[in-house]
Amino acid sequence: MSNVTKRFALLSVSDKQNITVVAKALADAGVGLLSTGGTASLLRDQGFDVLEVADYTGASEMMAGRVKTLHPMVHGGILGRRGIDDDVMHERGISHIDYVFVNLYPFEQTVAKPDVEFDDAIENIDIGGPAMVRAAAKNHASVTIVTDPSDYDRVVASLSDTAEANQQLRFELAVKAFEHTARYDGMIASYLGRLSGPNAKAGDDAAIFSKTINSQFELVHELRYGENPHQHAAMYVDANPPPGSIAAATLVQGKPMSFNNVVDADAALACVKQYERPACVIVKHANPCGVSVSAEIIDAYQAAYVTDPTSAFGGIIAFNRSLDKKTCEAITAQQFVEVIIAPSIDDDAKRVLVDFPNVRALETGTESAPLPMQLKAVSGGMLVQDEDTRVITESDLTVATKRQPSEQEIADLLFTWRVAKYVKSNAIVYGKNLSTVGVGAGQMSRVYSARIAAIKAHDAGLDVKGAVMASDAFFPFRDGIDNAAEVGISAVIQPGGSKNDQQVIDAANEHGMAMVLTGVRHFRH
């Protein structure tokens, strides 16, 4: 039988798992094997009769393998419309290529290496592979395109299927193929977009925004439901999730994460990572309800817990140090917890958690890379902004009142300011001795957030006298200061910028409070 009338399967894969099983099934079905490079060598070594692409096209590979399948004999065999282009194919000696098995150069794995060189990344951009994948997917009426080894069994089984069943399979695989090439191109665009030139590294600063958003997300698992049981939900992960993120974290024990677990865990992790000393953050409904910094994480946990034990029930607890047995026992002895997050979890702590199989335990690793952008879906579109990474230090503060804050007040003001950044607006945080004593979140009126913070402190039996207050945005009126003074707040940190700033400062002076201005707002919606 001449090559012109023979049906071929083109096999060119970087991931060679189970490719010999496929090759045998195709050969047994009378389909010729057409292949390139390493795949051809493997199949030939296994005793298969393989036709090299170079021998089929009459054009040898060139430019160190950069050009090998970009040829009319290949793409004509894939794209030719059966029954329409047969005469042209016969005239030019082009055979039907009815199956295309391709997976692409390992670009994702290459750029994931911390020391990857720019030239290496460029060389791992596949050109011929995506071209064949797209061509086969376009002509799925006649061609089966396979990009994922997990689909090999379906394709082998389909060799004896009806034409109708094969048509449905080809369509499904074509959709998957276009998703595959879109993700692949997105990874390349995302990687290059983070660089400022060929001498740059992946971690270098670069422009956040481009005409299109190049981040590519892959489905990792479907969730039981969304925020509520009647909502469908799933988790997608960026092709290159930053180390130290929730997307890159490892679930070492417990049930799969739920939609709300992921949202709350992300908020807790982001908040706790901003502290240098051992810290604990407890989050409920995406808001920190207790935060503390101490010499040991067990002390930080206990101080965070007493801020609001009621809200801490069923909460998410995050640490910025390894979770030890003693802290783990303290948590499980006094509260129900949904998720515990830490850079690592000691083996002794893991043994404690075995008796609490419903507690989800996440290890994030010690690395920490900020996300390049935040995405938020809206009807028919998406909002994009860079991460709120602005850090305020003592040198950035402007004292607006007659009274200067004490050294301890400065420390507490900077501590509560960091907490406020992760509390939903309007946000008010009361703090003392590097621990929260009350948090007011998400109110339409700032003065009500202040009242709620005071109520929570009272209900928890915590002494507010001498505590400080952080506000994520300016006070439009003096009533927030008056309310804070009534409960014993001694110092305030806020951005300033209201047309009524002087009235607010005057109120602080009247009450003998210290007030510092940051000039920076931290709204969180």
Side-chain angles (χ1 to χ4, degrees):
M1 182 182 292
S2 70
N3 288 341
V4 176
T5 57
K6 190 174 181 68
R7 296 168 62 228
F8 278 104
L10 196 157
L11 301 92
S12 181
V13 293
S14 59
D15 180 353
K16 295 177 176 56
Q17 61 172 309
N18 295 328
I19 195 65
T20 55
V21 176
V22 173
K24 183 178 188 310
L26 291 166
D28 290 347
V31 180
L33 304 181
L34 186 62
S35 191
T36 61
T39 308
S41 296
L42 172 67
L43 295 176
R44 193 175 291 111
D45 289 346
Q46 296 296 314
F48 291 100
D49 183 13
V50 181
L51 179 63
E52 286 264 12
V53 165
D55 294 331
Y56 168 66
T57 63
S60 59
E61 294 183 11
M62 58 169 52
M63 301 174 184
R66 276 192 167 199
V67 179
K68 51 191 173 187
T69 59
L70 296 170
H71 193 284
M73 292 281 288
V74 173
H75 285 273
I78 297 172
L79 283 167
R81 293 162 295 180
R82 280 43 168 176
I84 297 176
D85 298 320
D86 288 352
D87 289 344
V88 174
M89 295 177 72
H90 186 79
E91 177 185 339
R92 295 184 178 239
I94 298 173
S95 297
H96 289 164
I97 299 177
D98 291 345
Y99 297 87
V100 176
F101 291 79
V102 172
N103 43 65
L104 309 177
Y105 291 172
F107 181 82
E108 180 177 3
Q109 296 92 321
T110 299
V111 299
K113 298 173 184 176
D115 57 347
V116 63
E117 296 292 335
F118 181 79
D119 288 346
D120 267 353
I122 295 300
E123 283 307 310
N124 276 278
I125 297 176
D126 203 329
I127 301 301
M132 288 189 293
V133 170
R134 289 172 57 82
K138 176 176 180 175
N139 202 24
H140 65 268
S142 304
V143 180
T144 303
I145 172 62
V146 190
T147 58
D148 185 350
S150 68
D151 291 318
Y152 288 176
D153 288 344
R154 296 176 68 196
V155 175
V156 168
S158 77
L159 294 172
S160 59
D161 280 351
T162 64
E164 183 177 352
N166 271 306
Q167 184 179 29
Q168 179 61 32
L169 175 62
R170 288 196 299 270
F171 178 80
E172 292 175 7
L173 293 177
V175 172
K176 191 170 184 178
F178 280 123
E179 291 175 343
H180 183 62
T181 55
R183 180 173 179 270
Y184 190 78
D185 286 341
M187 284 190 294
I188 296 168
S190 181
Y191 170 77
L192 295 177
R194 292 198 300 269
L195 304 180
S196 57
N199 296 319
K201 300 295 182 183
D204 292 349
D205 291 335
I208 295 297
F209 306 110
S210 59
K211 191 171 183 180
T212 59
I213 295 174
N214 293 315
S215 291
Q216 297 294 306
F217 296 92
E218 182 178 13
L219 175 67
V220 291
H221 57 260
E222 294 186 11
L223 304 173
R224 288 176 59 204
Y225 52 78
E227 288 181 291
N228 300 290
H230 61 274
Q231 294 175 267
H232 297 294
M235 183 170 180
Y236 289 76
V237 171
D238 192 288
N240 292 295
S245 66
I246 285 299
T250 301
L251 182 68
V252 297
Q253 108 115 43
K255 300 183 297 184
M257 298 279 283
S258 72
F259 184 97
N260 292 338
N261 288 156
V262 174
V263 172
D264 288 349
D266 189 52
L269 179 61
C271 186
V272 81
K273 281 164 63 175
Q274 57 181 342
Y275 295 104
E276 294 77 25
R277 294 178 59 196
C280 174
V281 174
I282 305 176
V283 161
K284 189 68 171 289
H285 299 310
N287 278 299
C289 60
V291 181
S292 182
V293 170
S294 190
E296 303 289 342
I297 63 167
I298 187 168
D299 298 322
Y301 162 68
Q302 293 291 9
Y305 175 77
V306 299
T307 300
D308 190 353
T310 302
S311 297
F313 180 85
I316 277 68
I317 305 174
F319 298 97
N320 62 357
R321 296 289 192 278
S322 180
L323 178 66
D324 55 54
K325 178 183 178 182
K326 188 176 179 181
T327 306
C328 193
E329 288 176 335
I331 293 170
T332 54
Q334 72 181 356
Q335 73 165 104
F336 165 60
V337 57
E338 287 276 3
V339 183
I340 302 176
I341 309 161
S344 61
I345 300 175
D346 293 353
D347 288 341
D348 286 344
K350 289 178 182 178
R351 283 189 276 273
V352 172
L353 290 172
V354 168
D355 293 331
F356 302 88
N358 290 333
V359 176
R360 302 159 176 90
L362 288 177
E363 288 184 328
T364 64
T366 56
E367 295 183 81
S368 180
L371 294 173
M373 66 179 77
Q374 291 180 329
L375 311 178
K376 187 167 187 174
V378 295
S379 298
M382 185 170 290
L383 297 174
V384 183
Q385 67 175 355
D386 59 354
E387 185 89 359
D388 183 3
T389 56
R390 183 67 176 270
V391 176
I392 295 297
T393 64
E394 183 175 354
S395 62
D396 299 312
L397 303 178
T398 300
V399 179
T401 49
K402 295 175 182 177
R403 186 170 79 78
Q404 295 282 324
S406 68
E407 186 176 336
Q408 182 60 51
E409 285 174 331
I410 287 289
D412 285 337
L413 288 168
L414 291 173
F415 164 79
T416 53
W417 179 249
R418 291 186 177 187
V419 177
K421 185 165 73 169
Y422 289 95
V423 177
K424 300 289 187 180
S425 301
N426 288 316
I428 293 291
V429 179
Y430 292 171
K432 189 176 184 180
N433 298 324
L434 302 183
S435 298
T436 50
V437 294
V439 179
Q443 299 304 301
M444 290 69 77
S445 167
R446 190 163 301 280
V447 69
Y448 275 92
S449 288
R451 289 173 181 169
I452 289 172
I455 291 169
K456 285 185 172 290
H458 178 270
D459 289 350
L462 299 176
D463 183 12
V464 178
K465 188 175 181 180
V468 305
M469 174 173 70
S471 173
D472 64 344
F474 63 65
F475 289 95
F477 306 103
R478 64 172 289 160
D479 51 3
I481 303 302
D482 293 333
N483 276 275
E486 286 180 13
V487 297
I489 293 295
S490 68
V492 179
I493 184 170
Q494 57 125 336
S498 168
K499 65 179 182 179
N500 291 326
D501 268 357
Q502 193 56 54
Q503 294 178 23
V504 172
I505 294 168
D506 289 344
N509 282 327
E510 289 174 23
H511 296 298
M513 301 166 70
M515 179 180 289
V516 297
L517 307 180
T518 65
V520 175
R521 190 183 73 184
H522 282 311
F523 269 165
R524 187 174 179 87
H525 283 80

